[in-house]
Amino acid sequence: MSDMDEIVKEFLVESTEGLDQLDRNLVALEQKPGDKELLAGIFRCIHTIKGTSGFLAFSRLESVTHVGESLLSDLRDGKKVLTPEIISALLQLVDAVRSMLAAIEATGQDGQEDFVPLVELLTRLQKAAPAEEAGPPGKVEGARKAKARKRGAAAVVATESVAPAPPASPAPSAAEVPAPAASESPAASAPAATEGTEVRGPTAGDSNIRVDVGLLDKLMNLVGELVLARNQILQYTATQDDSGFVATSQRLNLITTELQEGVMKTRMQPIGNVWAKFPRVVRDLALACRKQVRIEMEGKETELDKTIIEAIKDPLTHIVRNSVDHGMELPAERVARGKPAEGRLLLRAYHEGGQVNIEISDDGAGVNAERVKAKAIQKGLITAEQAARMADRELVNLIFAPGFSTADQVSNISGRGVGMDVVKTNIEKIGGTVDVNSVAGQGTTLKIKIPLTLAIIPALVVSTAGDRFAIPQVSLLELVRLEGDDARKGIEMVYGAPVCRLRGRLLPLVSLAHVLRLQEDFWGPRGRTDEAANIVVLQADEHTFGLVVDEINDTEEIVVKPLGKQLKGLNAFAGATIMGDGRVALILDVLGLAQRAAVVSEARGRAQAERTTVRAEAAEERQMMLLFRLGADRRMAIPLSMVARLEEFERASVERAGQHQVVQYRGRLLPLLRLNQLLGEPVGAHEPETLQVVVYAHDGQDVGLVVDNIVDIVEECLTVHRRRRQGAVYGTAVIQEKVTDMLDVQALIESADVLLFAGVAEPAGAGV
């Protein structure tokens, strides 16, 4: 490649970066029209592109940017007042320059289009009479400075009239190539120092270097191979007794880990690089839709792997466009609903649990679930009977169905029914998930979860039917092991499918060997046994299910190897990896596995059944009860609402007041009732040193109930079997599958004729 080709390549790269920044600066300038720094930065960018394009003989690009530069010069000098029309024209200029740069990259020439209408528009705006409200002319620089750089030399700042270095010199960057004055040709200019010449130290650009993405990919692949070799060495080391060899392998492990982290960091980019174009997108779309939208961004510094960045660029753009087009109301509608005329679109990114969360929120009209339902029925996506059984959240998520759109007519913005399904598909391809939450009249939030990188990931290694599989840890919630009786009784059949009740909720189960057709049925050839069941609890598409495996081996960092094109259709696998012993293990695609096992669709039916059960239980009276024990096996309960506190008192702190035992408690005397004695339970020969006391509160009076052991606090629907002769124990109920006596504390106090003390202790003579 010649020196001139190098100059053109660097010009293209840096000019493209400059245009991206220019987009952001122009949108920001529209919000802050008096910001001189923004205006100066915009002028410098166009000025630099103009000068370098003239030097490189791109005449069309030079002429278009020259007209824009003249307008910007007047704005900078205060001769013109910034207007929305000028901003729109300058944004058109950016688009024109970008298209000419693309032509240069493709053909080596700056295209065939002269952009005559744009040139005429910019000229008209520049020659128009200055507005009356224009302020005094800004401070004009006597000699505008531009940098000229020679590779290996210090940066020299020269005046605008300085010509660029000849083509044979090292390639200057686009932001640093000096521009000749409009009346001069590059050949006529000669390098000359002026009064403005300064010598500076190394600039920020000197500490950075551009590296081809292909080279980074190659480095990443090599590091992946190194990680595999490291894993094999570590596995071999575990069988060796040579301390020197073990120490060396541990050192290799440390260096490999640090090298892996370093190479991965070279591929990491802030998500702000993707978001940079959104202010321009939102601004243009809002104007087209006659809306007012303000975009805000949080977490722009959140970093992701470059491959992830590229994969989410288009989905995020589509979501942002949808938020403005579908989500935001017209200003008049917003004001009528009590909202500010300007809508707010918030982009937020943050790390959580080894993943990156991206939220796109708007304060617009929200998704109308009834309208979605009607459209879905109209398009045949669901039946009316199915729609009647679906909750609002399920209806809202129909926007991800292929071919779905709520737009009444097709426009250049939306309405074709191609979009949100593609968004979801593309995000799921990189191991991510997308969910929408909307409240009618208040707004919509789309939440995307994606992995940090796709090359090297932490995984759980499991075995089943003699084969090993890797499960990405981003999908892992917890591990459950059922043994003995729990394994035999804990797994039930509901609606013909195996489930396990986990903390009160039904967890659908999938046998990995069965779903992969490594065995005929769920239980395998031995049938149902009392052996332990290993369950890996996973999450896919907002649904939770348990994957039953034979063994859970270990966690390990694995290198993801893509499957060949012949195996791309296997939705149960996301790739393969090489284990420490050199054998290949398949990486499970959790979502694909759930779809193959019909967990996602069946979960809806089970969820509906659970909601019905919950509603039925809620209709009954549920009570919070405190459970305690007297003697060896007598269980008793009282309503938790009657319990003020649970306390422990040393036996030595118990005193007597008349015929009653008391303790000094919070500035008053607390009478104690020993339930064993009052209810006829045998009293042990030796009283414990510490008494467990339930402090009962009623009508401002406190009483301490001395019990043998406090068991638990439960919330249950109670069926009380009442006794014919009711006293302190008025009935019996089954709580936690055990018979429990229900204690009437008030009746107990009355029968015991306990002395109650009112108020706090008073000083002697206070009542006289």
Side-chain angles (χ1 to χ4, degrees):
M1 182 181 288
S2 68
D3 289 338
M4 180 59 78
D5 290 336
E6 285 286 353
I7 294 174
V8 172
K9 181 179 178 182
E10 191 157 354
F11 165 65
L12 289 173
V13 171
E14 297 198 358
S15 294
T16 301
E17 291 177 356
L19 290 178
D20 291 340
Q21 183 64 44
L22 205 56
D23 264 342
R24 299 193 290 273
N25 287 352
L26 283 169
V27 174
L29 187 64
E30 190 171 29
Q31 304 299 320
K32 304 175 184 176
D35 194 320
K36 295 185 184 300
E37 282 190 23
L38 277 175
L39 191 54
I42 294 167
F43 174 84
R44 283 195 300 271
C45 182
I46 294 295
H47 171 73
T48 302
I49 294 175
K50 185 208 79 167
T52 312
S53 60
F55 162 65
L56 296 172
F58 296 132
S59 56
R60 289 184 175 85
L61 179 56
E62 181 188 21
S63 62
V64 172
T65 49
H66 175 70
V67 180
E69 180 193 32
S70 300
L71 175 58
L72 285 166
S73 179
D74 283 354
L75 288 169
R76 187 191 60 172
D77 297 342
K79 297 176 183 177
K80 297 288 181 190
V81 173
L82 194 68
T83 65
E85 185 182 15
I86 291 178
I87 289 288
S88 296
L90 292 173
L91 287 170
Q92 290 180 46
L93 171 64
V94 173
D95 293 338
V97 173
R98 191 175 275 117
S99 70
M100 283 188 275
L101 292 177
I104 293 171
E105 185 172 11
T107 66
Q109 301 297 323
D110 53 358
Q112 301 299 317
E113 187 175 355
D114 291 323
F115 296 95
V116 174
L118 175 59
V119 171
E120 291 177 348
L121 172 62
L122 292 170
T123 304
R124 176 177 63 80
L125 292 172
Q126 194 259 331
K127 291 185 176 180
E132 293 181 3
E133 64 271 17
K139 187 176 181 180
V140 182
E141 295 176 349
R144 292 189 295 272
K145 299 176 182 179
K147 293 189 292 181
R149 182 185 65 185
K150 291 185 178 179
R151 194 164 300 176
V156 178
V157 177
T159 60
E160 182 180 339
S161 61
V162 176
S169 65
S173 69
E176 296 167 338
V177 174
S183 61
E184 301 179 24
S185 68
S189 303
T194 67
E195 291 182 11
T197 300
E198 301 175 23
V199 178
R200 297 181 182 175
T203 63
D206 296 328
S207 62
N208 293 279
I209 184 172
R210 282 197 176 87
V211 179
D212 187 80
V213 174
L215 178 57
L216 288 180
D217 290 340
K218 185 177 180 181
L219 283 174
M220 195 67 203
N221 290 334
L222 289 173
V223 168
E225 296 298 329
L226 181 61
V227 169
L228 291 177
R230 184 270 313 268
N231 292 346
Q232 292 175 343
I233 291 173
L234 289 179
Q235 185 165 332
Y236 177 71
T237 303
T239 65
Q240 303 301 307
D241 297 327
D242 187 335
S243 59
F245 178 74
V246 171
T248 302
S249 64
Q250 292 299 327
R251 177 67 178 162
L252 174 64
N253 178 33
L254 178 62
I255 294 173
T256 303
T257 301
E258 292 181 355
L259 180 61
Q260 171 195 336
E261 292 174 355
V263 172
M264 288 179 67
K265 283 180 181 178
T266 65
R267 295 168 53 90
M268 302 298 276
Q269 293 184 342
I271 197 171
N273 290 359
V274 178
W275 289 358
K277 65 177 182 178
F278 290 155
R280 167 79 186 275
V281 171
V282 170
R283 187 249 182 206
D284 291 349
L285 193 55
L287 284 176
C289 298
R290 296 178 292 110
K291 297 176 180 178
Q292 298 176 19
V293 184
R294 179 181 78 257
I295 185 169
E296 298 178 3
M297 302 177 186
E298 296 178 5
K300 290 189 287 187
E301 68 285 350
T302 305
E303 291 188 328
L304 296 91
D305 189 276
K306 179 174 174 59
T307 55
I308 301 287
I309 290 277
E310 293 299 323
I312 65 172
K313 191 178 296 183
D314 290 340
L316 288 182
T317 302
H318 189 90
I319 293 172
V320 167
R321 290 174 64 87
N322 263 15
S323 294
V324 177
D325 182 30
H326 291 295
M328 294 297 183
E329 313 98 323
L330 292 169
E333 294 176 14
R334 292 180 61 86
V335 171
R337 294 176 180 177
K339 298 180 178 180
E342 184 182 57
R344 177 175 178 259
L345 178 63
L346 173 64
L347 275 63
R348 181 170 174 253
Y350 56 95
H351 289 128
E352 183 181 70
Q355 291 182 296
V356 173
N357 287 2
I358 304 173
E359 295 177 1
I360 301 98
S361 305
D362 66 66
D363 63 349
V367 179
N368 188 321
E370 290 302 316
R371 188 178 179 197
V372 170
K373 181 197 293 186
K375 283 283 184 179
I377 295 173
Q378 176 188 335
K379 292 179 177 291
L381 299 175
I382 56 173
T383 65
E385 292 75 15
Q386 289 174 321
R389 294 194 298 267
M390 294 174 72
D392 282 355
R393 185 178 179 84
E394 293 175 300
L395 288 171
V396 169
N397 274 275
L398 286 175
I399 65 173
F400 295 114
F404 183 84
S405 175
T406 57
D408 294 322
Q409 59 185 9
V410 174
S411 69
N412 62 340
I413 298 172
S414 61
R416 293 173 176 82
V418 178
M420 293 307 289
D421 62 316
V422 178
V423 166
K424 186 172 185 180
T425 301
N426 288 345
I427 290 173
E428 288 174 351
K429 277 182 182 177
I430 58 173
T433 61
V434 57
D435 181 46
V436 59
N437 184 27
S438 184
V439 179
Q442 297 183 23
T444 303
T445 298
L446 274 98
K447 188 171 184 178
I448 299 171
K449 292 184 178 181
I450 49 180
L452 286 171
T453 180
L454 300 180
I456 301 175
I457 61 172
L460 177 73
V461 181
V462 301
S463 299
T464 197
D467 293 323
R468 281 183 300 181
F469 301 91
I471 303 173
Q473 284 196 17
V474 293
S475 303
L476 178 62
L477 296 181
E478 61 179 304
L479 302 176
V480 177
R481 181 178 172 89
L482 301 178
E483 297 182 342
D485 250 8
D486 291 337
R488 184 170 54 83
K489 297 179 181 178
I491 299 178
E492 313 167 27
M493 300 298 290
V494 177
Y495 297 103
V499 298
C500 171
R501 189 171 291 276
L502 181 64
R503 290 188 289 276
R505 294 187 64 85
L506 293 179
L507 178 72
L509 298 180
V510 174
S511 166
L512 180 58
H514 180 221
V515 76
L516 295 182
R517 300 180 183 175
L518 301 177
Q519 65 186 31
E520 291 297 323
D521 56 26
F522 182 90
W523 304 109
R526 292 175 297 174
R528 188 164 186 166
T529 68
D530 292 342
E531 293 182 7
N534 296 303
I535 302 173
V536 182
V537 183
L538 303 170
Q539 185 164 10
D541 195 23
E542 296 300 319
H543 294 287
T544 304
F545 70 99
L547 188 67
V548 180
V549 300
D550 293 347
E551 295 179 9
I552 296 172
N553 301 118
D554 201 358
T555 58
E556 189 174 317
E557 281 195 335
I558 62 172
V559 179
V560 179
K561 299 289 186 181
L563 297 174
K565 61 181 180 181
Q566 297 87 352
L567 304 176
K568 288 292 185 182
L570 299 178
N571 64 343
F573 305 110
T577 188
I578 302 173
M579 304 303 296
D581 58 4
R583 294 170 58 195
V584 173
L586 290 170
I587 303 170
L588 297 177
D589 181 339
V590 174
L591 180 61
L593 204 64
Q595 291 171 342
R596 175 180 283 202
V599 168
V600 172
S601 57
E602 286 181 9
R604 287 184 176 177
R606 281 193 287 272
Q608 180 65 30
E610 284 195 25
R611 283 195 294 270
T612 303
T613 303
V614 169
R615 283 196 295 267
E617 290 180 350
E620 302 176 21
E621 185 178 357
R622 299 179 67 85
Q623 296 186 48
M624 296 284 289
M625 306 295 291
L626 173 70
L627 301 181
F628 56 88
R629 191 167 60 240
L630 297 180
D633 56 2
R634 186 175 185 183
R635 286 165 54 98
M636 305 198 74
I638 62 173
L640 189 63
S641 59
M642 296 181 177
V643 178
R645 291 179 66 84
L646 303 177
E647 298 284 1
E648 288 186 344
F649 297 114
E650 296 297 325
R651 186 178 63 177
S653 66
V654 178
E655 304 177 61
R656 299 194 70 85
Q659 301 299 314
H660 298 280
Q661 291 186 336
V662 298
V663 292
Q664 298 180 34
Y665 178 68
R666 296 191 170 190
R668 66 176 68 186
L669 297 180
L670 177 70
L672 299 179
L673 290 181
R674 294 180 177 268
L675 294 188
N676 274 334
Q677 297 175 358
L678 294 174
L679 297 178
E681 286 292 324
V683 179
H686 301 286
E687 189 176 56
E689 293 297 323
T690 302
L691 305 180
Q692 294 195 20
V693 177
V694 178
V695 180
Y696 167 79
H698 182 68
D699 291 339
Q701 304 291 337
D702 291 344
V703 175
L705 308 178
V706 181
V707 302
D708 289 343
N709 189 25
I710 296 171
V711 177
D712 201 357
I713 295 173
V714 298
E715 181 181 14
E716 290 195 13
C717 301
L718 299 181
T719 301
V720 180
H721 304 276
R722 294 186 176 273
R723 300 184 178 183
R724 291 183 179 179
R725 296 181 60 184
Q726 296 184 5
V729 178
Y730 66 88
T732 303
V734 176
I735 302 177
Q736 293 183 335
E737 300 182 357
K738 293 187 178 180
V739 174
T740 306
D741 286 336
M742 310 301 292
L743 182 65
D744 185 338
V745 184
Q746 192 60 32
L748 184 72
I749 292 174
E750 292 173 358
S751 64
D753 191 25
V754 66
L755 174 66
L756 297 178
F757 300 90
V760 297
E762 296 178 348
V768 178

PDB file of all heavy atoms in Angstrom, residues 639-658:
ATOM      1  N   PRO A 639     -52.017 -16.265  67.693  1.00  0.00           N
ATOM      2  CA  PRO A 639     -51.904 -15.314  66.578  1.00  0.00           C
ATOM      3  C   PRO A 639     -50.701 -14.395  66.769  1.00  0.00           C
ATOM      4  O   PRO A 639     -50.468 -13.872  67.861  1.00  0.00           O
ATOM      5  CB  PRO A 639     -53.225 -14.538  66.637  1.00  0.00           C
ATOM      6  CG  PRO A 639     -54.170 -15.452  67.348  1.00  0.00           C
ATOM      7  CD  PRO A 639     -53.343 -16.196  68.347  1.00  0.00           C
ATOM      8  N   LEU A 640     -49.951 -14.194  65.717  1.00  0.00           N
ATOM      9  CA  LEU A 640     -48.758 -13.355  65.794  1.00  0.00           C
ATOM     10  C   LEU A 640     -49.117 -11.906  66.103  1.00  0.00           C
ATOM     11  O   LEU A 640     -48.310 -11.163  66.665  1.00  0.00           O
ATOM     12  CB  LEU A 640     -47.988 -13.436  64.472  1.00  0.00           C
ATOM     13  CG  LEU A 640     -46.607 -12.781  64.448  1.00  0.00           C
ATOM     14  CD1 LEU A 640     -45.672 -13.463  65.431  1.00  0.00           C
ATOM     15  CD2 LEU A 640     -46.015 -12.801  63.049  1.00  0.00           C
ATOM     16  N   SER A 641     -50.316 -11.483  65.732  1.00  0.00           N
ATOM     17  CA  SER A 641     -50.733 -10.101  65.981  1.00  0.00           C
ATOM     18  C   SER A 641     -50.784  -9.781  67.467  1.00  0.00           C
ATOM     19  O   SER A 641     -50.751  -8.614  67.856  1.00  0.00           O
ATOM     20  CB  SER A 641     -52.105  -9.849  65.345  1.00  0.00           C
ATOM     21  OG  SER A 641     -53.073 -10.748  65.888  1.00  0.00           O
ATOM     22  N   MET A 642     -50.879 -10.818  68.318  1.00  0.00           N
ATOM     23  CA  MET A 642     -50.931 -10.600  69.768  1.00  0.00           C
ATOM     24  C   MET A 642     -49.547 -10.581  70.412  1.00  0.00           C
ATOM     25  O   MET A 642     -49.426 -10.328  71.604  1.00  0.00           O
ATOM     26  CB  MET A 642     -51.777 -11.695  70.436  1.00  0.00           C
ATOM     27  CG  MET A 642     -53.226 -11.697  70.031  1.00  0.00           C
ATOM     28  SD  MET A 642     -54.130 -12.998  70.888  1.00  0.00           S
ATOM     29  CE  MET A 642     -55.796 -12.702  70.304  1.00  0.00           C
ATOM     30  N   VAL A 643     -48.528 -10.882  69.623  1.00  0.00           N
ATOM     31  CA  VAL A 643     -47.168 -10.980  70.172  1.00  0.00           C
ATOM     32  C   VAL A 643     -46.465  -9.649  70.008  1.00  0.00           C
ATOM     33  O   VAL A 643     -46.349  -9.116  68.901  1.00  0.00           O
ATOM     34  CB  VAL A 643     -46.378 -12.095  69.458  1.00  0.00           C
ATOM     35  CG1 VAL A 643     -44.947 -12.154  69.994  1.00  0.00           C
ATOM     36  CG2 VAL A 643     -47.081 -13.435  69.644  1.00  0.00           C
ATOM     37  N   ALA A 644     -46.001  -9.094  71.153  1.00  0.00           N
ATOM     38  CA  ALA A 644     -45.255  -7.835  71.109  1.00  0.00           C
ATOM     39  C   ALA A 644     -43.781  -8.092  70.813  1.00  0.00           C
ATOM     40  O   ALA A 644     -43.187  -7.456  69.946  1.00  0.00           O
ATOM     41  CB  ALA A 644     -45.408  -7.078  72.418  1.00  0.00           C
ATOM     42  N   ARG A 645     -43.174  -9.051  71.510  1.00  0.00           N
ATOM     43  CA  ARG A 645     -41.759  -9.364  71.311  1.00  0.00           C
ATOM     44  C   ARG A 645     -41.496 -10.798  71.746  1.00  0.00           C
ATOM     45  O   ARG A 645     -42.292 -11.403  72.473  1.00  0.00           O
ATOM     46  CB  ARG A 645     -40.856  -8.424  72.129  1.00  0.00           C
ATOM     47  CG  ARG A 645     -40.833  -6.990  71.647  1.00  0.00           C
ATOM     48  CD  ARG A 645     -39.936  -6.134  72.518  1.00  0.00           C
ATOM     49  NE  ARG A 645     -38.542  -6.519  72.416  1.00  0.00           N
ATOM     50  CZ  ARG A 645     -37.719  -6.091  71.459  1.00  0.00           C
ATOM     51  NH1 ARG A 645     -38.166  -5.255  70.535  1.00  0.00           N
ATOM     52  NH2 ARG A 645     -36.468  -6.470  71.421  1.00  0.00           N
ATOM     53  N   LEU A 646     -40.368 -11.317  71.305  1.00  0.00           N
ATOM     54  CA  LEU A 646     -39.838 -12.585  71.803  1.00  0.00           C
ATOM     55  C   LEU A 646     -38.578 -12.261  72.586  1.00  0.00           C
ATOM     56  O   LEU A 646     -37.670 -11.613  72.075  1.00  0.00           O
ATOM     57  CB  LEU A 646     -39.524 -13.541  70.641  1.00  0.00           C
ATOM     58  CG  LEU A 646     -40.693 -13.871  69.707  1.00  0.00           C
ATOM     59  CD1 LEU A 646     -40.221 -14.767  68.570  1.00  0.00           C
ATOM     60  CD2 LEU A 646     -41.827 -14.539  70.469  1.00  0.00           C
ATOM     61  N   GLU A 647     -38.530 -12.697  73.846  1.00  0.00           N
ATOM     62  CA  GLU A 647     -37.418 -12.326  74.720  1.00  0.00           C
ATOM     63  C   GLU A 647     -36.811 -13.561  75.376  1.00  0.00           C
ATOM     64  O   GLU A 647     -37.437 -14.635  75.433  1.00  0.00           O
ATOM     65  CB  GLU A 647     -37.900 -11.366  75.827  1.00  0.00           C
ATOM     66  CG  GLU A 647     -38.457 -10.050  75.309  1.00  0.00           C
ATOM     67  CD  GLU A 647     -37.378  -9.082  74.851  1.00  0.00           C
ATOM     68  OE1 GLU A 647     -36.183  -9.452  74.930  1.00  0.00           O
ATOM     69  OE2 GLU A 647     -37.721  -7.977  74.416  1.00  0.00           O
ATOM     70  N   GLU A 648     -35.604 -13.390  75.867  1.00  0.00           N
ATOM     71  CA  GLU A 648     -34.940 -14.393  76.701  1.00  0.00           C
ATOM     72  C   GLU A 648     -34.497 -13.708  77.991  1.00  0.00           C
ATOM     73  O   GLU A 648     -33.906 -12.632  77.946  1.00  0.00           O
ATOM     74  CB  GLU A 648     -33.734 -15.012  75.984  1.00  0.00           C
ATOM     75  CG  GLU A 648     -34.113 -15.953  74.857  1.00  0.00           C
ATOM     76  CD  GLU A 648     -32.891 -16.649  74.272  1.00  0.00           C
ATOM     77  OE1 GLU A 648     -31.763 -16.169  74.530  1.00  0.00           O
ATOM     78  OE2 GLU A 648     -33.057 -17.663  73.574  1.00  0.00           O
ATOM     79  N   PHE A 649     -34.797 -14.329  79.145  1.00  0.00           N
ATOM     80  CA  PHE A 649     -34.413 -13.771  80.444  1.00  0.00           C
ATOM     81  C   PHE A 649     -33.590 -14.810  81.202  1.00  0.00           C
ATOM     82  O   PHE A 649     -33.885 -16.023  81.143  1.00  0.00           O
ATOM     83  CB  PHE A 649     -35.654 -13.397  81.279  1.00  0.00           C
ATOM     84  CG  PHE A 649     -36.495 -12.314  80.660  1.00  0.00           C
ATOM     85  CD1 PHE A 649     -37.783 -12.584  80.208  1.00  0.00           C
ATOM     86  CD2 PHE A 649     -36.008 -11.021  80.538  1.00  0.00           C
ATOM     87  CE1 PHE A 649     -38.563 -11.589  79.648  1.00  0.00           C
ATOM     88  CE2 PHE A 649     -36.786 -10.021  79.980  1.00  0.00           C
ATOM     89  CZ  PHE A 649     -38.060 -10.300  79.532  1.00  0.00           C
ATOM     90  N   GLU A 650     -32.579 -14.326  81.894  1.00  0.00           N
ATOM     91  CA  GLU A 650     -31.820 -15.214  82.768  1.00  0.00           C
ATOM     92  C   GLU A 650     -32.699 -15.629  83.945  1.00  0.00           C
ATOM     93  O   GLU A 650     -33.481 -14.828  84.476  1.00  0.00           O
ATOM     94  CB  GLU A 650     -30.557 -14.507  83.290  1.00  0.00           C
ATOM     95  CG  GLU A 650     -29.560 -14.143  82.200  1.00  0.00           C
ATOM     96  CD  GLU A 650     -29.012 -15.374  81.509  1.00  0.00           C
ATOM     97  OE1 GLU A 650     -28.836 -16.416  82.185  1.00  0.00           O
ATOM     98  OE2 GLU A 650     -28.766 -15.308  80.286  1.00  0.00           O
ATOM     99  N   ARG A 651     -32.601 -16.889  84.353  1.00  0.00           N
ATOM    100  CA  ARG A 651     -33.428 -17.377  85.472  1.00  0.00           C
ATOM    101  C   ARG A 651     -33.167 -16.567  86.736  1.00  0.00           C
ATOM    102  O   ARG A 651     -34.082 -16.305  87.530  1.00  0.00           O
ATOM    103  CB  ARG A 651     -33.116 -18.857  85.721  1.00  0.00           C
ATOM    104  CG  ARG A 651     -34.030 -19.490  86.765  1.00  0.00           C
ATOM    105  CD  ARG A 651     -33.723 -20.947  86.951  1.00  0.00           C
ATOM    106  NE  ARG A 651     -32.364 -21.127  87.472  1.00  0.00           N
ATOM    107  CZ  ARG A 651     -31.831 -22.316  87.786  1.00  0.00           C
ATOM    108  NH1 ARG A 651     -32.512 -23.409  87.573  1.00  0.00           N
ATOM    109  NH2 ARG A 651     -30.603 -22.403  88.264  1.00  0.00           N
ATOM    110  N   ALA A 652     -31.938 -16.084  86.886  1.00  0.00           N
ATOM    111  CA  ALA A 652     -31.598 -15.316  88.094  1.00  0.00           C
ATOM    112  C   ALA A 652     -32.300 -13.958  88.131  1.00  0.00           C
ATOM    113  O   ALA A 652     -32.391 -13.330  89.196  1.00  0.00           O
ATOM    114  CB  ALA A 652     -30.091 -15.119  88.171  1.00  0.00           C
ATOM    115  N   SER A 653     -32.823 -13.468  86.980  1.00  0.00           N
ATOM    116  CA  SER A 653     -33.475 -12.161  86.961  1.00  0.00           C
ATOM    117  C   SER A 653     -34.936 -12.221  87.387  1.00  0.00           C
ATOM    118  O   SER A 653     -35.594 -11.181  87.523  1.00  0.00           O
ATOM    119  CB  SER A 653     -33.385 -11.558  85.551  1.00  0.00           C
ATOM    120  OG  SER A 653     -34.146 -12.330  84.633  1.00  0.00           O
ATOM    121  N   VAL A 654     -35.469 -13.416  87.594  1.00  0.00           N
ATOM    122  CA  VAL A 654     -36.871 -13.572  87.990  1.00  0.00           C
ATOM    123  C   VAL A 654     -37.026 -13.232  89.479  1.00  0.00           C
ATOM    124  O   VAL A 654     -36.284 -13.735  90.331  1.00  0.00           O
ATOM    125  CB  VAL A 654     -37.371 -15.001  87.711  1.00  0.00           C
ATOM    126  CG1 VAL A 654     -38.827 -15.158  88.171  1.00  0.00           C
ATOM    127  CG2 VAL A 654     -37.233 -15.324  86.227  1.00  0.00           C
ATOM    128  N   GLU A 655     -38.003 -12.353  89.795  1.00  0.00           N
ATOM    129  CA  GLU A 655     -38.282 -11.951  91.182  1.00  0.00           C
ATOM    130  C   GLU A 655     -39.749 -12.219  91.487  1.00  0.00           C
ATOM    131  O   GLU A 655     -40.511 -12.659  90.627  1.00  0.00           O
ATOM    132  CB  GLU A 655     -37.954 -10.458  91.344  1.00  0.00           C
ATOM    133  CG  GLU A 655     -36.515 -10.105  90.947  1.00  0.00           C
ATOM    134  CD  GLU A 655     -36.250  -8.617  91.049  1.00  0.00           C
ATOM    135  OE1 GLU A 655     -36.368  -8.063  92.165  1.00  0.00           O
ATOM    136  OE2 GLU A 655     -35.948  -8.000  90.001  1.00  0.00           O
ATOM    137  N   ARG A 656     -40.132 -11.913  92.710  1.00  0.00           N
ATOM    138  CA  ARG A 656     -41.523 -12.142  93.115  1.00  0.00           C
ATOM    139  C   ARG A 656     -42.165 -10.826  93.497  1.00  0.00           C
ATOM    140  O   ARG A 656     -41.559  -9.971  94.134  1.00  0.00           O
ATOM    141  CB  ARG A 656     -41.609 -13.131  94.275  1.00  0.00           C
ATOM    142  CG  ARG A 656     -41.056 -14.504  93.952  1.00  0.00           C
ATOM    143  CD  ARG A 656     -41.489 -15.516  95.007  1.00  0.00           C
ATOM    144  NE  ARG A 656     -42.912 -15.806  94.925  1.00  0.00           N
ATOM    145  CZ  ARG A 656     -43.457 -16.717  94.097  1.00  0.00           C
ATOM    146  NH1 ARG A 656     -42.687 -17.418  93.280  1.00  0.00           N
ATOM    147  NH2 ARG A 656     -44.764 -16.926  94.095  1.00  0.00           N
ATOM    148  N   ALA A 657     -43.455 -10.697  93.114  1.00  0.00           N
ATOM    149  CA  ALA A 657     -44.280  -9.553  93.534  1.00  0.00           C
ATOM    150  C   ALA A 657     -45.581 -10.151  94.027  1.00  0.00           C
ATOM    151  O   ALA A 657     -46.440 -10.551  93.224  1.00  0.00           O
ATOM    152  CB  ALA A 657     -44.510  -8.602  92.378  1.00  0.00           C
ATOM    153  N   GLY A 658     -45.730 -10.244  95.347  1.00  0.00           N
ATOM    154  CA  GLY A 658     -46.888 -10.928  95.901  1.00  0.00           C
ATOM    155  C   GLY A 658     -46.789 -12.409  95.581  1.00  0.00           C
ATOM    156  O   GLY A 658     -45.793 -13.069  95.854  1.00  0.00           O
TER     157      GLY A 658
END
